[in-house]
Every structure is written in C-alpha cells, then in structure tokens.
Amino acid sequence: LATLAKGPVGLALPGFIFFVYLCFRRDFGFLQKLHPFLGGLVFLVTAGSWYAAALWRGGPAFFLRQIVDENLRTATGSYGHYQPIYYYLLVFLENSLPWSFFIPAIAVFIYHRRRRLEEERLLFHLVWLFSVLIFFSASLGKRGVYILPVYPAFALLCGAGWQRLGENTSRDASVARWLTYAFAAVSIAATCGLASYYAAQNGLIDPAPLVFLTRSNKVAWALALLSGTPALTGVCVVLLLAAVSALAWALFRRSWLFTFAAISLTSLVVSTIIKNTFFPSIASELTLKPFMIRVNQISSNQPLVFYRDADYGAMFYARRHIPAYAAEAGKLKAPFLLLMWEDDLAELGARPDLKKLDVSEGLGPAGRHRLTLVQYQPTASISEPLPVRCPRHGSAINTGNECQSSDEAD
C-alpha cells in the first residue's frame, strides 16, 4: 500500500528499518523465514500491475510526478518544501504531546535496559523510531505528515515504560514522578486560569484580576475563541478540573495507572477543545474552498490555469486538475483565466490586459498569500505578452518551452 501511494519510498522505508534491526541482531538468516522470493513475486505482481496500468494511462507525466518529483527531487530539495535537518524533531515533539513531556523518563528507562533491549522487545521499536526520523531527516524536502509511521513506535515505548511504573518494578520512578509533578503543576495552573476566565465571562467573579491573561496577543486570541463556544468550554472546564484533581490524587497515592488515566483524560479534553474551537478558526483563515467554488462558477466557459505556483488544495476544492500556464501558454487562446498569488500579480505591475475578478478570503496552506482570479485579455495598448514563468523558481522562459515540473505546489 505504501508503494502504491508514494512510490519506491514506500518500500525503501520499511526495508531500511528491517535492515538496521537485523544489523543490530546480526541475524540476516531471519530473512529466509520471510519467504523473500514468494513475497517479492506477490509484491511485484500487485504493485507492478498497478504501476503498469498507471503508466499506460498517465504516460511520462505520471512517471515524472510519482517517481521523479515525489521521491528523487523531494529528497534533493528541488521539489516540495525545503526544511532544516532538525525540522522533524520539532514536529515529533509537538505532535506527541503530552507524552513527549516524559521522554527523559523513557530515556532513563531504556538506558537501564540497554543490555537486554532485545529480550524485553524494545530493540525493534527503538530502531523503528530512530530509523524513520533519520530516513526522512536526510531528505531536504520535508512535510510533517511524512513521519506518521514514527508515532506507533513511540506509543509502544511509552506503554512499555509506563507498564513498568505500574508494576512498581522500575528504577526510573523518581524521574517519572518529578516530570509528572511538573506536568501536574502546569496543568493545574492552566486549568485554574481557564476556569477563572470562564467564570468571569459569565459574571460569576470579578474580571479585573484576570486582565493579565489578555496581555499576550496569542492568549487573548485563544480566550476569545473559547468565549465563542461557551457550552463546549464549560463542559471541557469541568472535565479538566476533574482530570487535574484525579491527577493530583493519583500522584499522592502513587498510583501510576490512575496517573496515566488522568493524563489521558487531560489530553483528550484539550484535543477536543483544539479540534472544535481552534481548528475551525484557523481553517477559515487558510482555506480556499469558498473562493474555488466561485472560481468554478466563473470559469465554466473559459480555460483556467495556474500562473506560477499550483496549489493542490485549490484543485481539490475545484474537483479537477488545473494545469500550469507554463505548460499551456503555447496552446491557450485569449481570453482565459489565471489563478495568481497576490505577490505574483503585484510583481507584474499594472497591466491593462489583466483584470482581477476575485480574491480568496483564505491565505492558503502557507498562510502568506491570497489567491486571485485574473482574466487575461490582450489589448492594443500593450504589446508585451504575458511572461511565462516556471513554478516556484519564477524565472521567465519563452512561450512553448517546458519547465522541469509544471505542477509544483507552493
């Protein structure tokens, strides 16, 4: 399935994980138990037949996009989103909260078992976790969703460490306990602050002592959003108070099972708040959906192309493929419509042959630019044709020439 979705990297990643694991075990004879020839034949028939059909239908364009762009050029940074080498470490720590808070305790737990990792079935999970991070960090093109395979391995390591705490057989309890105390302190302070603000908003207490909460623009923004969903916020505040109370009780009784349950409940409530309060607001600032619905209505009788950088979210909402102007310039007949990012339109300057018809409310996935719908209609007052620019790089080329990739995303 991974190979069908992402090409050779879908085979390379698990192959890399197993190779590293077998190197640590020094047991390459294990491969014979997997029936490599029969398994390889099934793999080739399944994946190969699909790729053969896709190549027959899509031709060279499919090969260039699926194999060259998505795999080779992403790895070299000439396609996709370039990010620094430490990018995935930050993404991993953020997306695995609150459990990443306890990574020091997990590290101590693993260190104490470093000579019997295979016996305790920890070695494969460690190799799995670090192999995924190293594999994708080596690529210059990066996106946060690429490291989704790392989270099951981290969850299994967390579970193993917490199980030892629950059995009271771990020498690592002191580290975990102090980390949990710190987590509990932060959780209690945040919950009490949120509960006080909610009470003040509903006239139960004097809001004056809580003015300091809104001094930060980001905190003020978050509290304003929570005020817009009073019923949900009220329920979540009650659940958070129950969760932090249970956490304090569990720590007092040194019950790691109830500590785990209390942290899980806290995480679930916070996730519910984020999903139902913050995500819709963020989505409304970034989404291109309403804009693309209007674009579909306007462009029903005229050709539509992306002027420079394509956006696959816009294509999703348009429910069709929208080619790049660089690939279609030699075939287009005026008038036609262009989707341009605002900075590209500003770079072209005031041109009488370009008429802006609409602009998006959202800023797109990067949150930096609005997308505009522009009509191109040559006029006698301007003799210079509309320049053809390659996606991303923006270098002007002659009409009819091809770019290295005509559909790269911003």
Side-chain angles (χ1 to χ4, degrees), residues 285-299:
E285 294 179 5
L286 301 180
T287 185
L288 299 173
K289 182 178 181 179
F291 171 69
M292 290 308 301
I293 291 175
R294 299 194 300 271
V295 168
N296 273 345
Q297 296 170 349
I298 298 172
S299 64

Side-chain angles (χ1 to χ4, degrees), residues 150-161:
V150 83
Y151 300 110
F154 180 64
L156 291 168
L157 290 172
C158 284

Side-chain angles (χ1 to χ4, degrees), residues 97-99 183 240 262-272:
L97 283 171
W99 307 108
F183 177 82
L240 281 175
I263 294 174
S264 298
L265 178 59
T266 303
S267 177
L268 179 62
V269 174
V270 172
S271 298
T272 301

Side-chain angles (χ1 to χ4, degrees), residues 282-346:
I282 295 172
S284 66
E285 294 179 5
L286 301 180
T287 185
L288 299 173
K289 182 178 181 179
F291 171 69
M292 290 308 301
I293 291 175
R294 299 194 300 271
V295 168
N296 273 345
Q297 296 170 349
I298 298 172
S299 64
S300 58
N301 298 319
Q302 296 185 58
L304 177 67
V305 294
F306 276 105
Y307 177 65
R308 184 183 294 180
D309 293 321
D311 183 272
Y312 294 110
M315 292 189 205
F316 173 80
Y317 292 125
R319 298 185 180 276
R320 56 174 164 152
H321 176 71
I322 303 174
Y325 175 60
E328 302 291 321
K331 298 176 284 184
L332 286 171
K333 301 297 182 184
F336 55 85
L337 301 173
L338 301 112
L339 289 170
M340 286 188 182
W341 298 101
E342 280 185 321
D343 56 337
D344 291 328
L345 183 59

Side-chain angles (χ1 to χ4, degrees), residues 97-170:
L97 283 171
W99 307 108
S100 56
F101 194 84
F102 300 93
I103 284 179
I106 299 171
V108 172
F109 162 75
I110 292 172
Y111 176 77
H112 287 160
R113 289 156 181 80
R114 63 190 181 280
R115 301 189 185 281
R116 56 181 192 279
L117 292 175
E118 179 64 17
E119 297 175 17
E120 299 207 17
R121 298 182 179 181
L122 298 173
L123 178 61
F124 180 72
H125 304 129
L126 276 172
V127 170
W128 178 359
L129 188 151
F130 283 103
S131 294
V132 172
L133 288 176
I134 293 171
F135 182 88
F136 284 112
S137 294
S139 172
L140 296 181
K142 299 178 177 68
R143 289 184 64 198
V145 294
Y146 290 170
I147 61 165
L148 286 177
V150 83
Y151 300 110
F154 180 64
L156 291 168
L157 290 172
C158 284
W162 215 279
Q163 183 181 15
R164 297 297 190 277
L165 292 173
E167 295 172 353
N168 292 319
T169 59
S170 176

